[in-house]
Amino acid sequence: METITNPHEAHAYFTPSETCKLIKEPTIKLTQEQIDFFKTNGFLSIDHLIDDDEVSYIRDQYDQWFAAKIGREHGNFFDLLSEDIDDNEAVVPQLLYPSLYGKIMTGFDLYNTQMCANAYAISKTLLGEDTIFTIDHAILKPPTSNSLPTPWHQDEAYWDPTLSHEALSVWVALQPVSLENGCMQFIPGSYRMFDVLPHHTQNNNPRIHGLEIDNPNEYTKNVISCALPSGGATFHHCRTLHYTGPNHSNEPRRAYTLQFLCSTKKRDQPRLNTWNETKTTEREKRAKQSGWTPPVS
């Protein structure tokens, strides 16, 4: 591990790998029934992606990253659902590239986890052999009195509007999750029914990063909730509509997310993207001031 004085300088030491160079072998193989379920519904729930020992290994370091607000200078630690003002309590703090910052701060090695090995193997099965790992991020939902839902949205709504993506996200629960503390919820088949729908920023506030689809009640009549034990995970396509509720429990709800991409296709015309074009967030301001450039996977 690199030795540096300030782990907040981690970005300067990061060289992205061209492939996901895993150390461990996968321990899970999907059944044809599970594959067909994902193809039909655009999501899949796996009860045991990793064991309790690995959950503890990740969670112990995870809590250190959030306590340090590592990456905040670069815009990579921010609040998804507020104006992200320094002195305010975060509603849903997030850390982009935890494997990057964690490697320097706590010696975390994503590629030496069963989480990455199993997530990558399953993602290749669901998307195709050309699938690559693109980005990870950690999402914390504290048990605060002002806990909010993460609104209904599609992940692709955050991405390049000139491209159509074949990608998925793996959402790993680092404690049991249920409706009480904000488990994942999905609209089955939505990735096949819709392209990227019109979105807006939370409360139509351009200073907030989080997105919500316009008129969500039109699309959310058949909701499937995915409660999970600790170490379980959901997989969902980048155009699948999804949501998590507020955390009404007495404990933090921790999730670790990995994204995988199989292919992109140039659109004939760029899709609508006004919700990103009008943003003026503190996160973007910090990224610009720090000179942060996202690593290329």
Side-chain angles (χ1 to χ4, degrees):
M1 185 185 74
E2 295 90 338
T3 300
I4 58 177
T5 303
N6 180 7
H8 290 263
E9 298 172 359
H11 69 291
Y13 292 78
F14 184 59
T15 303
S17 60
E18 294 180 0
T19 60
C20 189
K21 297 176 181 176
L22 302 173
I23 296 172
K24 295 191 174 183
E25 293 294 323
T27 58
I28 298 175
K29 185 175 181 180
L30 296 184
T31 65
Q32 189 59 50
E33 183 180 9
Q34 289 173 311
I35 296 169
D36 292 344
F37 184 92
F38 180 86
K39 299 296 185 185
T40 299
N41 296 288
F43 71 93
L44 180 67
S45 180
I46 302 286
D47 277 351
H48 300 290
L49 188 77
I50 58 176
D51 63 23
D52 291 343
D53 287 343
E54 184 156 293
V55 168
S56 296
Y57 165 76
I58 296 170
R59 191 169 62 193
D60 290 348
Q61 297 179 77
Y62 185 110
D63 288 346
Q64 294 180 58
W65 307 334
F66 277 87
K69 297 185 177 181
I70 196 74
R72 187 162 179 82
E73 303 95 317
H74 314 129
N76 290 328
F77 186 98
F78 61 97
D79 190 357
L80 179 69
L81 297 180
S82 80
E83 293 188 359
D84 196 32
I85 298 170
D86 281 336
D87 294 335
N88 290 0
E89 182 180 36
V91 180
V92 184
Q94 295 199 69
L95 172 61
L96 301 182
Y97 310 103
S99 57
L100 157 58
Y101 292 101
K103 180 180 180 182
I104 303 301
M105 181 179 178
T106 59
F108 179 65
D109 186 355
L110 176 65
Y111 290 156
N112 195 24
T113 62
Q114 203 64 59
M115 176 176 70
C116 192
N118 285 341
Y120 184 43
I122 292 172
S123 297
K124 285 205 299 182
T125 299
L126 296 175
L127 292 177
E129 282 298 316
D130 292 335
T131 296
I132 60 170
F133 169 62
T134 54
I135 186 176
D136 56 337
H137 70 286
I139 312 169
L140 180 67
K141 192 164 279 194
T144 58
S145 59
N146 64 339
S147 183
L148 294 174
T150 303
W152 287 102
H153 68 281
Q154 298 162 300
D155 290 340
E156 193 171 352
Y158 287 96
W159 302 349
D160 187 341
T162 69
L163 301 175
S164 177
H165 301 76
E166 282 301 309
L168 62 73
S169 292
V170 186
W171 191 94
V172 184
L174 299 181
Q175 70 291 297
V177 292
S178 64
L179 289 174
E180 181 188 26
N181 64 352
C183 65
M184 289 287 279
Q185 302 181 46
F186 302 101
I187 303 300
S190 52
Y191 88 108
R192 294 183 294 108
M193 292 185 281
F194 312 115
D195 195 353
V196 177
L197 294 166
H199 284 63
H200 58 271
T201 54
Q202 176 89 341
N203 300 327
N204 287 296
N205 184 342
R207 291 173 59 82
I208 296 178
H209 181 74
L211 298 177
E212 179 180 24
I213 56 169
D214 293 355
N215 306 310
N217 290 339
E218 293 183 12
Y219 307 101
T220 55
K221 295 178 172 61
N222 180 24
V223 177
I224 302 296
S225 302
C226 292
L228 292 168
S230 183
T234 58
F235 294 69
H236 68 268
H237 190 277
C238 61
R239 286 188 295 279
T240 295
L241 285 166
H242 59 288
Y243 162 102
T244 65
N247 182 4
H248 292 310
S249 75
N250 296 319
E251 299 292 335
R253 193 225 61 193
R254 307 169 185 85
Y256 197 117
T257 300
L258 303 99
Q259 290 182 352
F260 295 90
L261 171 71
C262 183
S263 64
T264 59
K265 181 180 178 182
K266 193 77 171 178
R267 293 176 179 268
D268 293 336
Q269 295 291 332
R271 61 164 173 78
L272 192 66
N273 193 43
T274 51
W275 48 87
N276 288 320
E277 294 166 353
T278 56
K279 280 184 187 176
T280 55
T281 64
E282 291 298 310
R283 176 206 169 200
E284 292 171 327
K285 187 182 300 183
R286 292 195 302 274
K288 184 176 181 179
Q289 290 174 344
S290 71
W292 167 265
T293 301
V296 178
S297 298

